[in-house]
Amino acid sequence: MLFNLGTIAFLVPLVQRGIAVSTPGDTLNAVRERRQISALQRGFAWSVVWSPTAIAPLVVMELIPDISRLRWSLFGIAVFAVILLVGAIEDRIRFRHLAAASQRPAMPVPWRAVWRLTITCLWLFGIATAISWATGDTVIFGLMAACPVILVGWLFVQYARSPEPNPAASTRARLLNLARTGLPRSAAIAVTLAAAGFVGVTAAALVPVAGLATLLRLETIPDFVLLGLLPPVIAALSLTALSPIMLAVFFGSIFGALPVLPVDATLLALSISCGWALSMTLSPFATIVLLIERLSGIPGRILTWRWNGAFSALAMAALLAIFAGWTKGQ
C-alpha cells in the first residue's frame, strides 16, 4: 500500500511545482493544474483493475475462489484503456475552447532524467525480485521490502550529487525528519487503511448471505446487469464515508460465501475492482482523494464531484457496455 500511494505523494507536488516554474503567473495555470491532477487521479484509480501490485486484486483473490489472475489482468488492461480513452475525450470536450490559447513551444525531452528514473525503477524491481526469490515469497512482498532500501539509496545519491559536504549525514537527517514529521502526518490515512479491511470482513460476517442472495434473486439477474451495477453501487456507498477498501472486502466476502457464484468469478472480481476504481474519482472520502487533498490543498469535493463527476458518470456507462459485450447471451 505504501508503494502504491507513494506514486501520488511523488507526482502531485511535482505537477504543481512544474506548472509554477514553467509558466509563472499564467492565467491558464489553474486549468493546467486541474487537467494534470485529474489525469493523475484517473490513471492511478483505474490502474487497480489490472496492476499486479494493486491492493484490490490481492484482497479480492483471497475472498472469491476460482479467479484467473491472468484473465483478470487482460480484461483489466482492456477496461483501463477504454476508461482512459473516455477520460481523454471528456477532457478534450470540456476544454475545447482553450485549445488555441494553450499552444506553447514543445519543451525538450529530459532524457537524462528519464534515464535516471529508469535506472531507479530497474534497481527497485531487481532488488524486489531478488528478495522474492531468496525468501520464496511473492513479488509483492519483495516490493514492500525493497522500497525502504531504494528510499535510502535515492536520498543518498541526491545528496551526493549536490554541494552537501556530508551526504551520509544529510541522508540520516532527512530520514529522521520523515520518521518524526512525515509519518505522523499520515497516521490518519494509515489507520483508515488498516481498519478498512477488518471492518469489511466483520460487516460481511454479520450479513445472512444465503438469505440476501434469495431476497435479491441474484441468479435471475442478467450477468451484464449484475456486473455493470456493482461498480456504481460500491461508488454510491463510498459517498457515505465508507472506505472503498472496506467495500471491496465486504462485497468480496459476500460473494465468496455463496455456494454458487451467480456470474463468472474473474469478471465478478474485475467488477468489484472497477467499483473500487470508480470510488477513487467519485468519493471525497477515498484514501487517494484524502492524500491528494493533503498534498495539494485542493478540497476533496472539488477533486471528485466538480472535476471528475462527469467522467465518473461516463465511466459507469462505459462499464455497462463493456460487460454487456463480454457476457452477450448469458
Side-chain angles (χ1 to χ4, degrees), residues 52-297:
T53 63
I55 299 300
L58 302 177
V59 171
V60 179
M61 284 186 66
E62 294 291 329
L63 302 172
I64 300 177
D66 302 324
I67 293 175
S68 168
R69 186 68 186 95
L70 177 60
R71 285 181 64 223
W72 184 348
S73 294
L74 294 176
F75 284 142
I77 290 173
V79 170
F80 180 77
V82 171
I83 296 300
L84 291 195
L85 177 62
V86 168
I89 294 172
E90 185 270 342
D91 176 84
R92 284 297 184 93
I93 293 175
R94 181 183 295 275
F95 297 106
R96 62 190 182 279
H97 61 288
L98 296 177
S102 60
Q103 295 285 336
R104 289 187 296 150
M107 298 179 66
V109 178
W111 289 113
R112 181 176 296 180
V114 171
W115 174 241
R116 289 173 181 167
L117 181 60
T118 301
I119 292 176
T120 303
C121 292
L122 290 175
W123 269 106
L124 172 62
F125 287 103
I127 295 174
T129 303
I131 293 174
S132 175
W133 176 81
T135 60
D137 213 315
T138 64
V139 175
I140 305 302
F141 172 79
L143 283 170
M144 296 294 290
C147 281
V149 178
I150 292 295
L151 168 64
V152 175
W154 194 349
L155 289 174
F156 180 80
V157 169
Q158 289 186 72
Y159 285 123
R161 296 179 60 86
S162 70
E164 291 286 337
N166 191 337
S170 299
T171 301
R172 185 168 55 252
R174 178 59 175 155
L175 291 172
L176 288 173
N177 178 263
L178 288 173
R180 294 170 179 171
T181 305
L183 290 179
R185 288 178 59 193
S186 302
I189 294 176
V191 171
T192 300
L193 291 172
F198 173 76
V199 173
V201 172
T202 304
L206 298 175
V207 175
V209 177
L212 180 63
T214 302
L215 176 64
L216 297 177
R217 302 184 65 187
L218 294 178
E219 71 283 355
T220 65
I221 301 176
D223 287 9
F224 83 93
V225 174
L226 179 58
L227 295 170
L229 284 181
L230 264 178
V233 167
I234 292 174
L237 290 174
S238 70
L239 294 174
T240 63
L242 295 175
S243 166
I245 297 178
M246 175 261 167
L247 292 170
V249 172
F250 176 78
F251 280 97
S253 300
I254 291 292
F255 283 104
L258 292 175
V260 179
L261 290 176
V263 293
D264 178 82
T266 301
L267 289 180
L268 178 61
L270 176 64
S271 177
I272 292 174
S273 66
C274 286
W276 188 323
L278 199 58
S279 299
M280 287 191 277
T281 59
L282 191 62
S283 173
F285 308 108
T287 305
I288 176 184
V289 177
L290 295 175
L291 183 59
I292 294 176
E293 179 178 2
R294 183 173 72 81
L295 291 168
S296 66

